[in-house]
Amino acid sequence: MRFSGYCTLVIAITVAGFAIAQPANPVENHTSCTAEKADVEKRMEVARSKGQMLLRRQLADQLAALQSSCQPFAVDQGHAANIERLEKEVRALRAELEAAEEQLRKLKSEANR
């Protein structure tokens, strides 16, 4: 199913971010990353409200990459915290997918009338 491949891609991007070196100055990078994430989230919401689901998905991929590369991981943050964060992301993506599928069903039913 398409959803499975999409989630796998998002999870792979997120997990790959853990292997990338951490930023040199976490405080500076955290501020710019926060601003970038907020901008991408705003653009995602605009795209979703306009029904531009492809653009929204591309922005979601961009956001996932930002989240994985920008999030400073403290030494005390454990494996369980990372799993919980990924599970939360997956739940959010599933909810968005369900909303998009519902919108698609409505459009198809209107077209068939």
Side-chain angles (χ1 to χ4, degrees):
M1 184 176 191
R2 190 177 211 181
F3 171 72
S4 175
Y6 183 70
C7 280
T8 303
L9 175 64
V10 170
I11 291 170
I13 290 170
T14 304
V15 172
F18 296 127
I20 298 173
Q22 295 298 314
N25 188 345
V27 174
E28 252 179 53
N29 287 335
H30 178 71
T31 304
S32 67
C33 283
T34 303
E36 277 187 72
K37 285 192 260 186
D39 178 57
V40 172
E41 287 170 348
K42 182 179 177 181
R43 290 172 34 211
M44 281 175 61
E45 184 60 34
V46 169
R48 189 176 67 75
S49 70
K50 292 182 177 180
Q52 299 171 328
M53 298 313 288
L54 177 60
L55 175 60
R56 201 220 56 78
R57 282 192 302 264
Q58 291 168 341
L59 291 168
D61 292 342
Q62 183 179 355
L63 181 61
L66 276 172
Q67 288 172 331
S68 66
S69 65
C70 292
Q71 184 174 359
F73 291 99
V75 175
D76 62 344
Q77 219 178 11
H79 187 68
N82 292 334
I83 290 173
E84 184 178 332
R85 185 180 56 77
L86 286 173
E87 287 174 341
K88 183 179 176 183
E89 281 183 40
V90 168
R91 283 191 301 272
L93 288 169
R94 283 184 179 144
E96 288 183 40
L97 178 63
E98 288 173 9
E101 287 175 337
E102 179 62 30
Q103 185 179 11
L104 178 61
R105 280 191 291 274
K106 285 180 183 178
L107 288 173
K108 284 183 176 180
S109 69
E110 288 174 3
N112 291 332
R113 289 183 186 174

